[in-house]
Amino acid sequence: MIIVMKPDHQPEDLRRLINRLEDLGLKTHLSKGEHRTLVGAIGDEGLLQEVPLESLPGVEKVMPILKPYKLVSREFKPEDTVIDVQGQQIGGKEIQMMAGPCAVESREVLEEIARALVPYGVKFLRGGAFKPRTSPYSFQGLGEKALKFLAAVREQTGMLVVTELMDPRDAVLVAKYADIIQIGTRNMQNFRLLTEVGNIDKPVILKRGMSATIKELLMSAEYIMSEGNHRVILCERGIRTFETETRNTLDISAIPLLKQLTHLPVIVDPSHAVGRADLVAPVSRAAIAAGADGLMVEVHVRPEEAWSDGPQSLRPQVFGKMMTELQKVAEAVGRTLSIQEDSDSRGDRTVAAG
Ligand code: PEP
Ligand code: MN
């Protein structure tokens, strides 16, 4: 339910309305736009049948949210959500790059990769500690040891850590080390896990299930938000189609479509979408042109030695070249992309190294 306030409503009208809704057990969300103030009310709307909200002072009209997802929808919150992660904004004008290895392999290699990325202005280091592998015999990730390496490299470089959580039993552990918690494609509809991260005060990247519809992705985001965590970033990472030349098929239309349907930031993972390094740069350019707020890219100093996803990992120099191209695309669509190390992080590192 969306309640539109009259342009000349009084502060006490708003307070009275919100109190009334909350007394009925509904959750409210206030959205103050340039021209209009809206109050979103979520919960059992049947409770409102007897309450003539339209006759309350200051109320202009009451509109039902027709979509099955509520908190996530643009109707509920017309303005873009910008998520602050330790001072870095995701969903604003600046396009954010997240890069790093598929999996954390050792402290040395992680450090090497991170140090190669910092000069290109990358603020977020990705790396899996718990890996969702198709085969139980494949490398499953170093677990807490990897989380400690990520935290150590964060100390050294000032980069923020993005890492995947696969199991509700590891939620506290992962939240202790991560700046952003990633929910992978295979867990997009693990509702217990979604509920768990909904109760953690850390931003969440929710990756689209490889066979999930846009509506299902948004309903999964609703699970997280309905628990109280509103810092959700959606990630298109390719979907399964009949094509076998690429690992998945990047659904480029998902980006503008999600931007219409939701106020949440949308990022793209080109690496898992295509599964081959030579296609990562062109689809990344397309993703930014289509309106993505950021990219998450797999990078490795020696892809041929990577323990997982080597064929889709870029060498740092190739990544750097791509950044220069992406900056031009970003500017063409009215965005910014910083491709240089900022002096702050350099300062951090000097202190840490000293
Ligand atoms: C990943 O980003 O490490 C990953 C496993 O991706 P996805 O869940 O999209 O396959
Ligand atoms: Mn990977």
Side-chain angles (χ1 to χ4, degrees):
M1 187 82 69
I2 305 276
I3 299 121
V4 183
M5 301 303 288
K6 287 182 180 155
D8 60 350
H9 72 273
Q10 300 300 307
E12 59 266 27
D13 298 338
L14 198 56
R15 245 189 331 266
R16 192 179 306 114
L17 172 72
I18 290 175
N19 287 343
R20 189 76 190 266
L21 294 166
E22 290 182 351
D23 284 349
L24 287 165
L26 296 163
K27 282 188 187 157
T28 60
H29 178 89
L30 186 60
S31 172
K32 281 195 178 189
E34 217 176 295
H35 306 292
R36 274 285 194 260
T37 295
L38 309 178
V39 179
I42 304 290
D44 179 3
E45 294 186 5
L47 296 168
L48 289 173
Q49 263 159 14
E50 304 300 310
V51 187
L53 289 178
E54 239 144 11
S55 61
L56 288 179
V59 172
E60 182 168 297
K61 61 179 172 183
V62 179
M63 305 183 307
I65 302 176
L66 299 173
K67 303 268 179 4
Y69 41 88
K70 312 284 179 190
L71 296 164
V72 162
S73 76
R74 268 272 176 218
E75 287 163 277
F76 183 76
K77 182 170 179 279
E79 67 277 13
D80 286 344
T81 287
V82 179
I83 296 179
D84 183 278
V85 190
Q86 317 283 352
Q88 299 298 333
Q89 264 78 45
I90 302 179
K93 191 170 180 199
E94 169 144 23
I95 287 169
Q96 289 293 359
M97 298 298 292
M98 304 171 185
C102 178
V104 176
E105 299 166 0
S106 70
R107 168 139 181 197
E108 292 68 32
V109 173
L110 184 68
E111 211 176 300
E112 231 184 306
I113 296 168
R115 286 195 189 283
L117 290 169
V118 168
Y120 299 120
V122 180
K123 313 277 178 7
F124 294 87
L125 176 65
R126 63 142 291 145
F130 296 98
K131 294 304 302 176
R133 302 305 299 278
T134 302
S135 165
Y137 307 117
S138 300
F139 171 58
Q140 304 285 311
L142 297 177
E144 185 168 8
K145 209 156 87 176
L147 296 172
K148 288 190 168 147
F149 295 158
L150 285 161
V153 175
R154 169 175 51 206
E155 279 296 304
Q156 287 173 337
T157 61
M159 291 176 94
L160 299 169
V161 167
V162 181
T163 196
E164 179 165 352
L165 169 67
M166 295 205 323
D167 187 323
R169 290 170 296 185
D170 298 321
V172 173
L173 179 71
V174 172
K176 188 168 128 198
Y177 294 98
D179 296 295
I180 303 183
I181 299 173
Q182 177 178 324
I183 301 293
T185 193
R186 293 160 188 82
N187 276 313
M188 189 204 82
Q189 286 190 313
N190 181 340
F191 301 118
R192 252 316 257 110
L193 190 61
L194 300 178
T195 305
E196 198 72 30
V197 293
N199 285 289
I200 293 177
D201 188 21
K202 284 279 161 91
V204 176
I205 290 178
L206 177 64
K207 298 188 92 175
R208 180 180 181 181
M210 60 184 89
S211 303
T213 63
I214 295 284
K215 194 189 277 179
E216 286 163 342
L217 170 62
L218 292 170
M219 290 308 290
S220 289
E222 187 82 11
Y223 259 91
I224 302 173
M225 292 183 75
S226 67
E227 290 294 323
N229 186 352
H230 286 209
R231 291 197 288 169
V232 180
I233 300 149
L234 303 172
C235 180
E236 162 61 38
R237 48 77 72 203
I239 50 175
R240 281 226 162 145
T241 66
F242 50 81
E243 184 53 71
T244 53
E245 291 291 324
T246 49
R247 184 171 177 179
N248 290 286
T249 298
L250 180 67
D251 179 5
I252 201 87
S253 63
I255 308 159
L257 183 55
L258 285 167
K259 286 274 161 192
Q260 268 179 34
L261 299 173
T262 175
H263 51 87
L264 295 172
V266 178
I267 66 166
V268 168
D269 169 350
S271 309
H272 292 89
V274 295
R276 38 191 279 188
D278 60 337
L279 300 181
V280 168
V283 302
S284 295
R285 296 198 295 267
I288 291 182
D293 295 303
L295 298 177
M296 181 155 68
V297 183
E298 285 185 343
V299 174
H300 199 288
V301 277
R302 287 173 294 282
E304 61 286 357
E305 291 175 16
W307 295 5
S308 56
D309 287 351
Q312 68 193 36
S313 300
L314 300 185
R315 289 176 200 283
Q317 307 87 296
V318 177
F319 176 83
K321 185 168 167 285
M322 175 178 88
M323 288 290 276
T324 314
E325 298 161 4
L326 294 181
Q327 192 179 43
K328 292 188 201 135
V329 180
E331 278 166 11
V333 294
R335 309 291 291 267
T336 57
L337 177 75
S338 134
I339 58 166
Q340 257 170 23
E341 177 179 8
D342 58 42
S343 45
D344 290 357
S345 64
R346 197 179 300 130
D348 286 347
R349 286 193 302 144
T350 313
V351 173

